[in-house]
Amino acid sequence: MNLNILRYARAASVLTTAFLCNAPAVAQVANNETPPALAALPSLTVSRYLGTWYQVALFPNRFQRHCVSDTTATYQQTPDGGLSVANRCRQTNGQWDQALGQAEPVGSLEADQLKPAQLRVSFLPAWRRWLPVGWGDYWVIQLASDGRYSVVSEPTRRYLWVLSRTPRLLSTDESAIRAELLKQGFDLSAWRVHEHTGEP
């Protein structure tokens, strides 16, 4: 079994158990209390979300540390109504790595509308996905009106991914995303831009 797929599988478990020791990426409000619970978008049109997204920024995490550039995520709808996801990145050794996973709705999915915009994702082998562990939260918390960028996180705010339909994020979009994330209670000191080389 590909060891990098195991990393992604462990990552899904990390997202749900949130056992990492480093401090959560949550901004403190003036009265020294944590901000309100994070909310996903109330709905998401699934067909518009399908296809390939470029990871343009993120909060660095353990399970992607081997990915140095060119990370993409490609979503396709499966016959059973779920979603398949293929994550691809260039590793430190210059080689490509790919992990295949499955995403399932947390709420309702009717007439192409996911309500709320919450999925659970697993990169475990297909024969082990019936287990209650190994699934991670995938919440769409921002989405451009024309779908050119998306921001994904989970309830603890420890993890953040900024996705774009193009390898580069417009500076105006980055400013708008960051401003909204601050309103949503994120500490952006961990923000890192992810490189795309344009190499095949």
Side-chain angles (χ1 to χ4, degrees):
M1 181 182 296
N2 188 316
L3 291 179
N4 288 323
I5 291 178
L6 286 176
R7 290 192 187 103
Y8 283 108
R10 286 194 294 268
S13 179
V14 168
L15 286 175
T16 50
T17 57
F19 66 83
L20 293 181
C21 296
N22 47 335
V26 179
Q28 299 295 309
V29 294
N31 60 3
N32 226 23
E33 295 179 359
T34 56
L38 186 64
L41 296 178
S43 65
L44 178 70
T45 303
V46 173
S47 61
R48 294 184 62 196
Y49 203 78
L50 301 179
T52 297
W53 292 89
Y54 296 86
Q55 176 186 278
V56 292
L58 76 161
F59 286 172
N61 54 69
R62 291 182 180 182
F63 50 90
Q64 282 184 286
R65 62 186 175 188
H66 65 293
C67 293
V68 296
S69 67
D70 303 294
T71 299
T72 60
T74 301
Y75 300 91
Q76 294 181 318
Q77 198 141 28
T78 57
D80 62 1
L83 295 173
S84 66
V85 55
N87 286 351
R88 187 171 186 255
C89 74
R90 191 181 296 279
Q91 303 176 91
T92 52
N93 62 7
Q95 300 299 309
W96 288 99
D97 177 52
Q98 180 167 284
L100 303 177
Q102 176 183 349
E104 295 182 348
V106 173
S108 66
L109 177 56
E110 297 179 7
D112 201 29
Q113 294 296 306
L114 175 65
K115 298 181 180 181
Q118 296 177 4
L119 297 164
R120 62 181 200 135
V121 179
S122 176
F123 287 92
L124 289 172
W127 61 273
R128 294 189 60 190
R129 290 177 190 158
W130 62 272
L131 294 169
V133 297
W135 290 85
D137 293 313
Y138 182 108
W139 289 14
V140 180
I141 61 171
Q142 294 183 36
L143 183 66
S145 58
D146 63 357
R148 68 184 179 275
Y149 68 75
S150 170
V151 182
V152 176
S153 189
E154 42 71 48
T156 72
R157 296 181 176 85
R158 282 186 173 90
Y159 301 92
L160 181 79
W161 295 272
V162 180
L163 309 176
S164 173
R165 290 299 191 181
T166 59
R168 302 285 185 276
L169 195 64
L170 294 173
S171 59
T172 51
D173 285 341
E174 179 176 337
S175 296
I177 290 168
R178 291 172 67 97
E180 185 63 23
L181 285 171
L182 290 174
K183 294 178 184 177
Q184 292 172 304
F186 284 84
D187 175 356
L188 298 183
S189 60
W191 175 288
R192 297 292 182 274
V193 173
H194 186 71
E195 180 184 8
H196 285 274
T197 65
E199 298 176 10

